[in-house]
Amino acid sequence: MSLSLGKDGFVLEVLGDGREALHFHRALELMYVLEGTVEVTVNGQETKLCPQDVFLVNVNKPHELVAADDALYVRLTIGYEIVRDVFNDYDLLFICDSTEVDDPSYEGLRSLLKSLLAQYLSGHCHAESLMSLSLCYHIADYLCANYLFRSKDLDHDASTGKRDDRIKAIDGYIMSNFDQPISLKEAAGTLGLSVGYLSRVFKRHYGMTFNSYLTKVRLLHAVDDLLSTSEPITRVAHDNGFSSTTSFNKSFKEEYHETPSEMQRKASSKRERDVAADESRMESRLERYAYHDVPGDVASAGASLEEAAVDVTTTEPLRTPWSEVINVGSAEDLLSSEVQRHVAVLKEKVGFKYVRLWTPFSREMLLDLGRPGESFNFSRLDNVLDFLLKIGAKPFIDLSSKPRRILRGIDDPLVFDDSGISQDLETWEQVIDAFMRHLCHRYQPDEVEQWKFELWFDDNSFDDPACRSAYRKLFSSTYRIIKKHVPGVMLGGCGLHTSSSAADPSSTVALTFLREFSEERGSGGVFPDFISVYSYGYDAVLVDGRWLTRRDTSLDFLRLGLANMRRSLEALGLEDVPIYVTEWNITISDRNVLNDTCFDGAYIIKNYIDTYGMADAVAHFSATDLISESYDASDILFGGCGLLTKDGILKPAAYAFVFLHRLLSRYVGRGEHWLATTDGKDRFGIVCQNCMSLGYNYFSVEEDELDRGSLGRYFSEETPCHVTIRLQGMRSTSYKAKVYGISQQDGSILDMWQGMEYGTAISREDIQSLSNRCEPRLTVRSIEATQGELVLDVELAANEIAFVSLLPDD
């Protein structure tokens, strides 16, 4: 069962058992297995696909497959030009394999494929069907948004640090010109290489001559044509670069031990048998999948709906990982009166318990650890600690010296200063001992016991067993000294990176690190009081023996990473060890405009709802844009990671924490878009969000190049959401519902600044006016609870957040 859709390069096939010989083609091949198993071998690596698995074969990747007798699978072929021309890039790679990690994005892809199947079975899917083509383009768009690596993502190689550009250029030339009468001399001239050098490259890298490799490429493409079309052999030979049918037949017979005509006849005969004998049976099998859980109109931009019921009489104490810790910066940053003012504002409005800072021992803090034997001057640290205690916050001190950095993107620093002070273990022990003595004398042990300490380890050294051993020795020494002075205080480590994929090297490193620490504890060593982890929205994937790094496309990055970390702890019998996410953000960039948008506020609330109960603390990075200022940050907004602008105006991200802080003491329940609390009496607080998914337009540009004037283009869609929550077990009376909302129309500093045409000549009065206007919209209405049930309806625009306060009228 096969159908070509229009002239746009899409082919939909429903297939059963069978075998396909090794071949490759100039198209993307997306497979979705419904029944049985399909074994796919790509570049010699075999993958077994089971029911509900989704797998994509990239352009020009040699592959073969074997489908079991009971197999039923769907294959959508997508012309490469469709995506290549959009990105103007010839080096696109898709990593789409649900057997590696079945993250939530695959469920969305399955739904789209089911919708296309439903169109097919209904008879509306034909070559000129606009709906079918729309679905095909939607699938192509979804693949780009969630699984695409571009050439700029392909630069990292675990062994060499970069790709061999020359080999890449040779491959590109062959794949683009194999159907033309090219020669070694012509290829060398085009590539700017000598004939002798190019000949040696082929023998060394490909293990064969130029002509042998060119013939193999031509044959693999020819096999694809023979298996999928009924074109005459002469045409197949010509389209794939062979000078004559005779030379094509000879080369083909030598490679595949049968003639092209024989292979094509077998493939054609099989297709005819399948159509004649199995079409009706396959359609009946398909119906079980195509009409199950398919959205009514995938292409529709209508509102999403969520309806849920919750019993308000069944509650538990609310966990508040969002209010535990806020990241500020280095100890030096907190010497600034402006930074202190911003931290005080956040303490008042959000109520963070701990303020996290790092690099407490530096020359700027008058502590030179490079000069052992001298007395230690903690006076500047005292100024920082005194300020925190004055505003009612507790210090959370990362004792490590960390690089000072301001990043445009993950590998694009605007500022990077790694000239930290190095010291030997003996000097380190002296300063930690002196520091703890000083704290106990100045602040008293009972006070210091309520603080938290952390010791970070540079993840660039995780792969080195000697470095891991040195860190454990350093941690053990630090742990024993701190506990000697204040036995009850907590010291955690070591800044492990979470990953949404168990196959990511971060997950492997985390398990190795935890196992080694655990083994040492079993022989009298120490173990961190909590595991500190970092979670930023980037992932690494192993492709052809090298690790590729890019921005993670899933909004569930934090949840999946925490699940992997929890599994690692459980595997080692450490399930009771607390997890502190001491740094978290979707981006590490200090010049990403998303940090200034309503999306960031919705993303924050979504993730705290999704990960509720999974971590003891999740600390957003960071408090204020002041710590990421540089020469290019003259505008009032510049994409900094802070909750506050450099002028102290609350961003939508800050209001996300304000709304979370307003939640009441008892947890009632949660859904996809909401979390409900109560005081155990008649008051209720509910936080809501409608976070949009990011599309490929976002991932196709550098983070510091996003256009703040056209943000809509960066989302897969922008749809409103209608949430209906049935609160059951309520007192039957009238309630006043106060709804506070932050959206593009209300309270968003970026959108208000846009209304001023992004003016740069901003006066102090303008700043104050903007600050006054950046307040949530408030609407008030009465709702009657009848027969013990109150029905609460909340309308949310794209990327809107809201807090609902319910109070009885009487």
Side-chain angles (χ1 to χ4, degrees):
M1 298 167 64
S2 174
L3 179 65
S4 296
L5 300 172
K7 301 176 182 179
D8 296 73
F10 296 101
V11 177
L12 175 67
E13 298 172 277
V14 181
L15 303 163
D17 64 297
R19 176 187 296 270
E20 290 188 0
L22 186 69
H23 66 291
F24 56 62
H25 39 69
R26 289 160 288 182
L28 301 170
E29 189 174 291
L30 178 64
M31 287 177 277
Y32 174 31
V33 177
L34 302 175
E35 294 180 5
T37 60
V38 178
E39 294 180 358
V40 185
T41 302
V42 182
N43 280 346
Q45 181 177 342
E46 182 179 301
T47 302
K48 184 175 182 179
L49 307 180
C50 298
Q52 298 304 306
D53 274 333
V54 185
F55 186 86
L56 186 142
V57 180
N58 280 281
V59 174
N60 293 325
K61 291 291 184 182
H63 63 283
E64 57 187 325
L65 66 83
V66 178
D69 291 343
D70 59 345
L72 177 66
Y73 66 102
V74 179
R75 178 164 63 194
L76 179 65
T77 302
I78 303 171
Y80 187 53
E81 293 77 9
I82 292 171
V83 292
R84 183 198 65 193
D85 293 345
V86 168
F87 292 99
N88 193 28
D89 193 337
Y90 284 81
D91 195 9
L92 302 177
L93 177 70
F94 292 82
I95 309 298
C96 178
D97 179 3
S98 65
T99 66
E100 287 289 334
V101 54
D102 193 9
D103 69 46
S105 68
Y106 287 107
E107 196 52 46
L109 183 56
R110 294 183 188 105
S111 293
L112 288 169
L113 289 166
K114 289 175 184 177
S115 296
L116 185 58
L117 286 175
Q119 281 285 307
Y120 176 84
L121 290 174
S122 68
H124 298 303
C125 183
H126 51 81
E128 304 303 326
S129 167
L130 293 178
M131 175 60 77
S132 301
L133 286 175
S134 172
L135 284 167
C136 287
Y137 276 105
H138 197 157
I139 291 169
D141 175 90
Y142 196 90
L143 290 170
C144 292
N146 290 279
Y147 312 108
L148 174 63
F149 284 71
R150 296 183 64 195
S151 57
K152 65 179 187 301
D153 299 313
L154 306 179
D155 293 331
H156 176 69
D157 187 292
S159 58
T160 67
K162 64 180 181 178
R163 299 189 73 191
D164 189 332
D165 291 335
R166 195 158 283 163
I167 295 298
K168 175 182 170 183
I170 294 170
D171 281 340
Y173 178 81
I174 295 290
M175 295 307 175
S176 299
N177 297 280
F178 72 89
D179 54 349
Q180 303 298 317
I182 58 176
S183 67
L184 177 64
K185 183 178 180 181
E186 290 170 333
T190 302
L191 295 167
L193 306 172
S194 71
V195 172
Y197 177 82
L198 184 57
S199 178
R200 290 193 299 274
V201 167
F202 266 90
K203 290 180 181 178
R204 183 174 64 250
H205 185 78
Y206 297 98
M208 62 186 76
T209 65
F210 173 86
N211 286 330
S212 296
Y213 182 73
L214 179 60
T215 299
K216 186 174 287 289
V217 169
R218 287 169 169 169
L219 287 173
L220 287 169
H221 279 291
V223 168
D224 186 53
D225 291 342
L226 294 171
L227 292 175
S228 59
T229 73
S230 299
E231 293 284 354
I233 300 302
T234 303
R235 178 77 181 192
V236 173
H238 177 268
D239 286 350
N240 289 284
F242 287 94
S243 58
S244 67
T245 306
T246 302
S247 64
F248 174 49
N249 284 330
K250 180 181 178 183
S251 297
F252 196 95
K253 184 90 180 269
E254 289 176 353
E255 182 73 18
Y256 296 106
H257 309 294
E258 62 181 334
T259 66
S261 299
E262 289 171 339
M263 177 177 284
Q264 187 179 55
R265 186 167 55 253
K266 290 177 183 177
S268 176
S269 176
K270 183 180 186 308
R271 287 197 299 271
E272 291 173 1
R273 289 198 308 273
D274 289 344
V275 170
D278 296 335
E279 187 166 307
S280 61
R281 181 176 62 86
M282 292 181 74
E283 285 194 2
S284 65
R285 294 170 71 189
L286 276 179
E287 288 178 358
R288 285 180 285 171
Y289 305 97
Y291 296 125
H292 180 65
D293 295 332
V294 175
D297 183 3
V298 176
S300 169
S304 62
L305 305 174
E306 181 181 3
E307 184 171 349
V310 62
D311 183 356
V312 303
T313 64
T314 303
T315 68
E316 61 184 49
L318 180 69
R319 303 179 184 184
T320 57
W322 48 80
S323 66
E324 286 295 310
V325 188
I326 183 65
N327 286 287
V328 175
S330 68
E332 178 191 355
D333 290 321
L334 270 163
L335 291 173
S336 162
S337 60
E338 278 298 288
V339 172
Q340 289 186 4
R341 183 173 65 85
H342 286 196
V343 173
V345 167
L346 288 172
K347 174 60 180 174
E348 176 187 356
K349 292 184 175 294
V350 181
F352 292 108
K353 297 177 185 176
Y354 292 90
V355 171
R356 183 171 177 266
L357 57 103
W358 46 90
T359 317
F361 314 128
S362 67
R363 294 185 179 93
E364 292 76 14
M365 298 302 290
L366 305 181
L367 289 161
D368 191 346
L369 305 193
R371 301 171 65 182
E374 298 193 5
S375 61
F376 300 110
N377 182 0
F378 298 111
S379 59
R380 288 193 173 178
L381 262 177
D382 291 339
N383 291 337
V384 170
L385 301 175
D386 289 349
F387 159 72
L388 296 180
L389 296 175
K390 181 180 178 180
I391 65 171
K394 301 296 182 185
F396 191 123
I397 306 173
D398 186 339
L399 298 165
S400 316
S401 292
K402 303 174 74 170
R404 176 171 288 278
R405 65 189 186 191
I406 300 174
L407 301 176
R408 297 185 184 95
I410 189 168
D411 292 317
D412 186 12
L414 184 68
V415 174
F416 191 86
D417 180 6
D418 196 16
S419 58
I421 302 172
S422 60
Q423 71 287 317
D424 57 32
L425 181 59
E426 182 180 356
T427 304
W428 176 259
E429 290 173 341
Q430 288 175 4
V431 74
I432 294 298
D433 188 63
F435 182 49
M436 294 307 298
R437 287 180 187 275
H438 174 79
L439 294 182
C440 290
H441 176 74
R442 184 179 177 90
Y443 302 103
Q444 302 303 312
D446 288 347
E447 168 61 37
V448 179
E449 189 176 57
Q450 301 175 59
W451 302 3
K452 287 184 171 60
F453 296 90
E454 182 183 355
L455 190 63
W456 170 72
F457 180 58
D458 187 352
D459 66 325
N460 290 323
S461 303
F462 269 132
D463 289 335
D464 187 339
C467 289
R468 294 198 304 271
S469 177
Y471 171 79
R472 292 195 303 275
K473 185 176 181 180
L474 179 69
F475 186 92
S476 177
S477 176
T478 307
Y479 188 94
R480 296 182 194 281
I481 292 171
I482 288 178
K483 296 288 185 172
K484 177 183 69 175
H485 293 283
V486 188
V489 76
M490 295 182 73
L491 171 63
C494 68
L496 295 168
H497 282 266
T498 64
S499 170
S500 60
S501 169
D504 190 296
S506 299
S507 295
T508 304
V509 163
L511 185 59
T512 301
F513 176 87
L514 294 170
R515 180 181 293 111
E516 291 172 346
F517 241 127
S518 178
E519 290 171 352
E520 286 197 0
R521 182 176 66 166
S523 58
V526 303
F527 194 83
D529 295 320
F530 60 86
I531 298 299
S532 63
V533 300
Y534 294 175
S535 183
Y536 291 98
Y538 303 88
D539 245 339
V541 180
L542 184 64
V543 179
D544 297 338
R546 57 199 174 98
W547 290 106
L548 308 180
T549 303
R550 69 156 195 174
R551 283 170 273 170
D552 190 270
T553 59
S554 171
L555 297 183
D556 299 292
F557 184 87
L558 176 63
R559 179 181 63 81
L560 295 170
L562 283 174
N564 281 333
M565 187 62 66
R566 182 57 66 189
R567 279 193 290 270
S568 294
L569 287 169
E570 290 173 352
L572 299 170
L574 302 172
E575 54 272 10
D576 295 331
V577 176
I579 294 177
Y580 281 54
V581 183
T582 50
E583 292 185 19
W584 163 63
N585 202 320
I586 191 174
T587 176
I588 203 169
S589 170
D590 300 294
R591 298 295 181 266
N592 186 324
V593 70
L594 286 189
N595 289 318
D596 302 326
T597 65
C598 289
F599 164 82
D600 201 27
Y603 176 80
I604 286 168
I605 291 180
K606 169 187 167 52
N607 276 273
Y608 280 122
I609 292 174
D610 291 349
T611 62
Y612 184 79
M614 297 181 72
D616 294 79
V618 180
H620 182 268
F621 191 94
S622 60
T624 171
D625 282 353
L626 286 171
I627 67 168
S628 57
E629 278 190 290
S630 189
Y631 61 84
D632 65 334
S634 59
D635 290 341
I636 64 172
L637 292 169
F638 50 84
C641 291
L643 301 179
L644 301 183
T645 72
K646 64 178 184 178
D647 297 297
I649 301 173
L650 275 69
K651 299 183 188 180
Y655 278 111
F657 284 99
V658 170
F659 289 174
L660 289 163
H661 183 55
R662 292 180 183 176
L663 291 171
L664 302 174
S665 61
R666 305 290 299 179
Y667 169 81
V668 173
R670 61 187 170 125
E672 180 181 355
H673 296 93
W674 57 275
L675 187 147
T677 62
T678 179
D679 63 353
K681 300 176 184 176
D682 279 336
R683 296 177 62 225
F684 297 88
I686 302 167
V687 69
C688 306
Q689 60 78 25
N690 183 27
C691 186
M692 297 292 100
S693 296
L694 293 163
Y696 68 78
N697 282 334
Y698 170 72
F699 298 102
S700 67
V701 298
E702 300 296 343
E703 293 188 70
D704 63 330
E705 295 176 358
L706 299 172
D707 182 1
R708 63 192 175 199
S710 304
L711 289 172
R713 72 172 69 175
Y714 300 123
F715 299 102
S716 297
E717 56 184 357
E718 289 189 286
T719 58
C721 177
H722 182 97
V723 178
T724 299
I725 308 171
R726 299 183 179 276
L727 300 172
Q728 299 172 341
M730 300 282 286
R731 182 160 64 91
S732 294
T733 188
S734 179
Y735 285 81
K736 190 75 71 180
K738 296 181 179 180
V739 183
Y740 302 84
I742 292 288
S743 66
Q744 289 181 252
Q745 288 70 43
D746 300 286
S748 167
I749 174 62
L750 178 63
D751 292 283
M752 291 184 183
W753 186 37
Q754 183 181 33
M756 300 170 65
E757 297 183 345
Y758 303 116
T760 55
I762 305 292
S763 68
R764 291 171 57 188
E765 290 75 14
D766 293 334
I767 294 293
Q768 187 59 52
S769 174
L770 281 170
S771 182
N772 293 338
R773 291 163 56 201
C774 284
E775 293 285 340
R777 175 198 70 249
L778 172 62
T779 59
V780 182
R781 66 180 188 269
S782 293
I783 306 176
E784 196 74 25
T786 59
Q787 297 183 338
E789 181 177 87
L790 183 147
V791 179
L792 176 67
D793 291 298
V794 183
E795 301 286 345
L796 299 166
N799 290 322
E800 181 175 357
I801 60 175
F803 178 80
V804 183
S805 173
L806 283 175
L807 299 169
D809 272 343
D810 53 11

